[in-house]
Amino acid sequence: MKQAIVTGATGYIGSYFVEYLVKKKIEVFALGRKSLDNISNVRKARLEGSKYLKIDMNSIHLLKELFIKNNWMIGDSCVFINLAWGGQSKLSDLNVKDQMMNVIWSVNAFKVSNDLKCNKFLQIGTMEEAFTYKYLTLDYKKNSEYNRHVIYSVAKISAKKALQLISKKLKTDLIYVLHSHVMAPDDDKDSFLQVTLKKLIDKSDLIFSTGEQIFDVVSEKDCVSGYYLICEKGTAGSEYWVGSGEPRPLREYVEKMYALYPSGKEMQFGKFKYNDVKLSKSDFSIQKLVNDTGYKSLNTYEEIVSNLYNSLIKKN
């Protein structure tokens, strides 16, 4: 890979990935819907060294024309990585129309990547898909499980299915990528573990479900390293999971976090019922990724928590 086109480049993971690619001496065309003046200085710094283009995904079909206008040339070793995904407010805002528009934009992105003669197209999915496949088998008359991410992840699955259908007619290789929960500084989504760490810092009450559900956490460094290896060595038509390789009950993540930064407050597990489907450790398997690319997760959970803790303290 000599060149990369990255949509969603101003996002949390997208900006980390652009930075990683630039350090690898890859020519990066970073695409985002915001002007550089409207993104944080932290993320703007990660985009340094890339060629940035402000473009909304509803205009992605015009990308080839914009490349010609900017005199940007694509060679014989370019990978298109589609990280862009939007919602009316948040990704899990339960807005069906806005979520499903992403399916159309993903298909258009794949088509334009083929027109630009990119040799690979990586579509980035979500961990929530693993929950959704199980969730959709439930009987709504008997089951009460609830997952607020289901519309978002159904749209992701729909995009995957649509891309798999059109990939049979196009020359660009399609690869689908999912990843475990990425935990790092600059996460603006207030995920459960980040909120828990903030509670430890603020010495707030620690009230949880049983924490029995299997979960997995991966650092931003290992996540983007996995993406890069897939770009380099991933095989057409494959689906890869990027993670730590060591999934465990969610309670263990909380306990390890507390051991690092005890607040003196009692951890109250089981105070409310866990009411969602459960995943198994095999759902988080990275074996195919390891076999095909030699991927290794190098950052421990303790290191991940420490980095996030330091960033939160600095921010406060």
Side-chain angles (χ1 to χ4, degrees), residues 20-70:
Y20 184 91
L21 291 174
V22 169
K23 288 180 179 178
K24 287 286 186 179
K25 309 300 182 185
I26 306 297
E27 183 180 21
V28 182
F29 303 96
L31 315 183
R33 62 183 175 84
K34 297 179 180 179
S35 65
L36 289 176
D37 292 337
N38 291 327
I39 66 171
S40 70
N41 289 332
V42 171
R43 294 189 183 180
K44 189 186 301 184
R46 294 190 200 124
L47 300 180
E48 289 182 4
S50 70
K51 293 181 172 68
Y52 184 73
L53 176 66
K54 180 182 178 296
I55 181 172
D56 196 278
M57 285 301 287
N58 62 14
S59 300
I60 196 66
H61 60 286
L62 302 175
L63 187 61
K64 186 176 180 179
E65 296 174 28
L66 292 172
F67 266 54
I68 294 171
K69 182 179 179 180
N70 283 284

Side-chain angles (χ1 to χ4, degrees), residues 255-292:
E255 291 172 338
K256 285 178 178 290
M257 184 181 285
Y258 190 91
L260 287 171
Y261 304 107
S263 67
K265 291 284 188 176
E266 178 188 359
M267 290 187 289
Q268 302 179 61
F269 289 100
K271 282 292 184 177
F272 58 86
K273 183 181 178 182
Y274 177 70
N275 192 38
D276 199 355
V277 296
K278 297 175 183 176
L279 301 184
S280 65
K281 290 185 177 181
S282 62
D283 289 315
F284 296 95
S285 176
I286 63 171
Q287 197 57 54
K288 181 170 177 55
L289 178 63
V290 172
N291 292 344
D292 288 3

